[in-house]
């Protein structure tokens, strides 16, 4: 009798948890006070020195995008491989917390794709925030370490599951199962993106066909629940539907009739399917990365996801100045949009540093070395955004205009243009105090933050960090900020 009572109590608690989760989702989705007014995209840009970091873009209509943070990375990974790809943004049902999860991978460090797929990180990189603008330090979350023979953990996504009141994280891992080694989609559960349940297979295609990129979108139903749709890169771009996140999924079709595939049928070969519900109307965009041709993301759209024949091409769109690689899009409320744009949307003016004693010459980078030259071409090589100092916001740092995320820094008292790596050493080397010009009070000199007895100067037209003891050196160390 006591055992029966305990079971009944446990069942009641479980039912209440599910009901609470469903109410939270309904409140979040149906709140008339907080309609979505814009969109935020998280993405990476490619295999350049700073391309495998976290970038952000903003849109008012979901089709025309503007790079945030002047096109520079908004967040840097300083853990694991010190690079991230395939970021996804997750909002809690009540809108009080956000997470970004991403692949822990940096091909630009010299890692081969074979090493990455077979001997790569089994963890995801996680950032956490309560306001979308102040983020925690990145941390690693081991999701695939318990999978026998796991080679990697790629392209993570997460979705809140109202059936259980927690989040389902799903990603691709390359491992051997039933004698076949390939990428399959695995999943785990979490409530806090710190601890996870044991991983299990989520999607497995027949034969040797692997699947790497999968993303789920939800559609409210007339009965108050949700219908879920997932797009997977598995040779095709396959669309499936289900009435629950972990329930039975039914194949709806693929995009081969549009000349779009993931390589199985040729045509326009794409990857990284990225769903985006349009705000305030019953329509969805599916963004597809045309990686085979390097043309970047293209959208197709549908007002009825029940058939792949309902998708149409979209021609009126633009993606801003940076290349957008596999990421995620989230609708923004007016309050969220205001905070994001206040933090990342203000563009800083472009300046040049003019030499005091060679006034036809300006500081410029050339092959990532730094010097002063006349008639700089291209002109952007001599253009910088004057940013709050990386090590001290009352000082300044010089960010390149044509290499966003790259800064002037000293290394062994010589200057280079280098990608921000998130270390305290880099921040100190790239920070300078703007002081009264050593040769003229109407000009400026720039004192090193971590070597305060040294200043930026040119010597034989090359930029150096040196102690200033002569009249010539004072002139060499004097500059003017111009437009």
């Amino acid at each position: 009798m006591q055992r029966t009572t305990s079971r009944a109590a446990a069942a009641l608690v479980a039912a209440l948890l599910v009901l609470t989760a469903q109410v939270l989702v309904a409140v979040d989705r149906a709140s008339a006070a907080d309609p979505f007014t814009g969109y935020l995209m998280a993405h990476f840009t490619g295999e350049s020195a700073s391309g495998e970091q976290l970038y952000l873009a903003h849109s008012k209509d979901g089709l025309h995008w503007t790079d945030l943070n002047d096109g520079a990375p908004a967040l840097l990974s300083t853990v694991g491989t010190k690079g991230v790809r395939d970021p996804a943004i997750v909002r809690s049902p009540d809108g009080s917390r956000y997470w970004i999860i991403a692949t822990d991978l940096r091909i630009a460090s010299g890692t081969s794709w074979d090493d990455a797929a077979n001997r790569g990180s089994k963890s995801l990189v996680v950032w956490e925030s309560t306001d979308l603008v102040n983020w925690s330090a990145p941390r690693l979350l081991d999701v695939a370490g318990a999978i026998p023979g796991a080679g990697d953990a790629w392209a993570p996504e997460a979705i809140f599951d109202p059936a259980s009141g927690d989040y389902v994280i799903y990603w691709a891992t390359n491992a051997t199962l039933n004698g076949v080694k390939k990428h399959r989609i695995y999943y785990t559960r979490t409530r806090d993106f710190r601890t996870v349940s044991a991983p299990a297979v989520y999607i497995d295609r027949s034969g040797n066909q692997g699947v790497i990129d999968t993303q789920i979108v939800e559609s409210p139903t007339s009965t108050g629940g949700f219908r879920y749709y997932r797009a997977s890169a598995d040779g095709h771009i396959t669309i499936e539907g289900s009435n629950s996140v972990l329930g039975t999924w039914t194949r709806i079709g693929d995009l081969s009739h549009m000349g779009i595939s993931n390589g199985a049928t040729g045509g326009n070969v794409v990857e990284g399917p990225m769903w985006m519900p349009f705000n305030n109307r019953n329509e969805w965009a599916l963004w597809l990365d045309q990686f085979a041709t390097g043309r970047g993301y293209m959208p197709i759209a549908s007002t009825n996801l029940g058939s792949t024949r309902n998708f149409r091409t979209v021609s009126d769109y633009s993606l801003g100045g940076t290349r957008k690689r596999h990421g995620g899009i989230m609708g923004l409320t007016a309050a969220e949009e205001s905070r994001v744009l206040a933090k990342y949307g203000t563009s800083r003016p472009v300046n040049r540093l003019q030499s005091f004693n060679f006034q036809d010459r300006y500081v410029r980078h050339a092959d990532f070395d730094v010097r002063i030259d006349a008639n700089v071409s291209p002109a952007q090589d001599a253009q910088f955004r004057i940013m709050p100092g990386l090590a001290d916001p009352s000082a300044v740092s010089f960010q390149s205009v044509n290499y966003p995320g790259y800064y002037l820094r000293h290394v062994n008292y010589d200057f280079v243009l280098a990608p921000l790596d998130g270390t305290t050493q880099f921040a100190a080397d790239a920070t300078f105090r703007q002081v009264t010009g050593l040769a003229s009070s109407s000009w400026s000199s720039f004192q090193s933050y971590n070597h305060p007895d040294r200043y930026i100067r040119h010597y034989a037209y090359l930029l150096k960090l040196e102690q200033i003891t002569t009249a010539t050196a004072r002139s060499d160390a004097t500059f003017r900020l111009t437009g």
Side-chain angles (χ1 to χ4, degrees):
M1 184 71 176
Q2 182 177 359
R3 184 176 302 171
T4 304
T5 303
S6 298
R7 287 177 177 173
L12 177 60
V13 169
L16 288 172
L17 285 173
V18 170
L19 179 60
T20 300
Q22 290 173 334
V23 169
L24 282 173
V25 173
V27 169
D28 181 48
R29 299 295 181 182
S31 176
D34 295 306
F36 291 145
T37 59
Y39 306 81
L40 181 67
M41 181 194 297
H43 65 96
F44 75 107
T45 63
E47 288 79 37
S48 67
S50 61
E52 291 161 301
Q53 298 296 346
L54 194 284
Y55 291 77
L56 297 174
H58 169 260
S59 177
K60 288 299 294 183
D61 65 2
L63 294 175
H64 300 85
W65 293 87
T66 300
D67 298 321
L68 296 178
N69 204 36
D70 289 318
L75 295 172
L76 297 173
S77 175
T78 55
V79 296
T81 67
K82 295 182 171 57
V84 291
R85 302 167 67 97
D86 322 314
I89 315 178
V90 187
R91 178 198 276 111
S92 66
D94 63 359
S96 66
R97 196 163 297 274
Y98 311 85
W99 296 270
I100 291 175
I101 60 175
T103 305
D104 176 28
L105 175 58
R106 188 168 184 261
I107 293 296
S109 66
T111 300
S112 70
W113 282 108
D114 181 70
D115 277 340
N118 294 287
R119 294 167 290 279
S121 175
K122 317 304 186 295
S123 297
L124 309 179
V125 179
V126 180
W127 285 273
E128 187 171 346
S129 174
T130 58
D131 58 10
L132 279 178
V133 295
N134 295 294
W135 293 92
S136 69
R139 62 177 183 262
L140 292 175
L141 178 64
D142 183 349
V143 293
I147 299 172
D152 55 14
W154 285 0
E157 303 285 346
I159 188 169
F160 184 79
D161 186 0
S164 57
D166 59 10
Y167 301 86
V168 174
I169 304 175
Y170 54 102
W171 72 94
T173 282
N174 186 30
T176 300
L177 183 63
N178 299 323
V180 179
K181 186 173 186 178
K182 63 181 182 179
H183 278 98
R184 299 171 177 84
I185 303 299
Y186 289 76
Y187 80 93
T188 187
R189 291 182 176 277
T190 187
R191 289 184 178 274
D192 56 9
F193 292 85
R194 292 180 179 274
T195 59
V196 295
S197 64
V201 175
Y202 191 29
I203 305 175
D204 188 2
R205 301 302 190 218
S206 61
N208 294 316
Q209 179 61 59
V211 54
I212 294 179
D213 300 335
T214 293
Q215 196 177 97
I216 298 172
V217 69
E218 59 189 20
S219 171
T221 65
S222 58
T223 58
F226 296 100
R227 176 72 172 166
Y228 298 90
Y229 298 91
R230 70 186 183 195
S232 301
D234 56 5
H236 293 281
I237 298 297
T238 298
I239 311 297
E240 299 167 290
S242 177
N243 290 327
S244 62
V245 175
L246 294 178
T248 300
W249 289 81
T250 301
R251 189 180 194 276
I252 295 172
D254 58 50
L255 305 177
S256 57
H257 65 283
M258 301 179 73
I260 295 171
S261 81
N262 183 233
T265 59
N268 191 1
V269 180
V270 302
E271 65 178 9
M274 183 170 66
W275 289 109
M276 187 201 76
F278 281 99
N279 293 339
N280 309 315
R281 67 179 188 266
N282 187 42
E283 186 175 11
W284 295 262
L286 179 60
W287 291 84
L288 303 166
D289 184 3
Q290 303 168 98
F291 75 98
T293 58
R295 289 179 292 177
Y297 267 109
M298 57 166 277
I300 58 175
S302 174
T303 57
N304 182 356
L305 298 180
S307 170
T308 57
R309 297 282 172 172
N310 296 326
F311 280 104
R312 59 180 176 81
T313 58
V314 177
S315 58
D316 182 16
Y317 69 95
S318 60
L319 285 165
T322 61
R323 186 182 181 194
K324 309 297 188 283
R325 297 296 309 277
H326 190 173
I329 298 173
M330 184 178 76
L332 294 173
T333 66
E336 291 169 339
E337 189 174 30
S338 177
R339 293 196 301 267
V340 167
L341 293 181
K343 174 70 177 286
Y344 299 112
T346 302
S347 183
R348 295 187 175 273
V350 173
N351 287 276
R352 296 182 296 166
L353 279 81
Q354 183 183 21
S355 168
F356 171 75
N357 51 352
F358 293 91
Q359 295 190 12
D360 62 334
R361 291 178 179 262
Y362 295 83
V363 174
R364 60 88 54 89
H365 61 82
D367 296 325
F368 303 108
D369 198 6
V370 187
R371 53 181 295 116
I372 61 169
D373 273 341
N375 303 315
V376 177
S377 180
Q380 284 189 320
D381 286 356
Q383 295 175 342
F384 300 91
R385 298 187 192 278
I386 313 304
M387 310 295 289
L390 297 173
D392 179 355
S394 69
V396 298
S397 293
F398 301 95
Q399 182 180 208
S400 170
V401 166
N402 53 353
Y403 286 89
Y406 282 63
Y407 287 79
L408 296 185
R409 75 171 291 190
H410 61 81
V411 179
N412 297 325
Y413 306 130
D414 190 19
F415 273 85
V416 295
L417 185 74
L420 179 62
D421 63 13
T423 64
T424 56
Q425 184 65 57
F426 188 109
D429 290 348
T431 300
F432 306 90
R433 292 190 171 93
Q434 185 176 356
V435 299
T436 301
L438 298 178
S440 171
S441 61
S442 62
W443 291 56
S444 296
S445 292
F446 296 92
Q447 181 186 31
S448 170
Y449 169 80
N450 53 352
H451 295 277
D453 61 333
R454 292 174 180 262
Y455 294 78
I456 299 175
R457 75 167 286 191
H458 62 81
Y459 183 83
Y461 302 136
L462 297 176
L463 230 60
K464 305 289 184 180
L465 190 74
E466 293 191 352
Q467 295 173 333
I468 306 301
T469 59
T470 67
T472 298
R474 286 193 290 272
S475 293
D476 291 348
T478 300
F479 302 89
R480 177 164 58 196
L481 292 175
T482 68

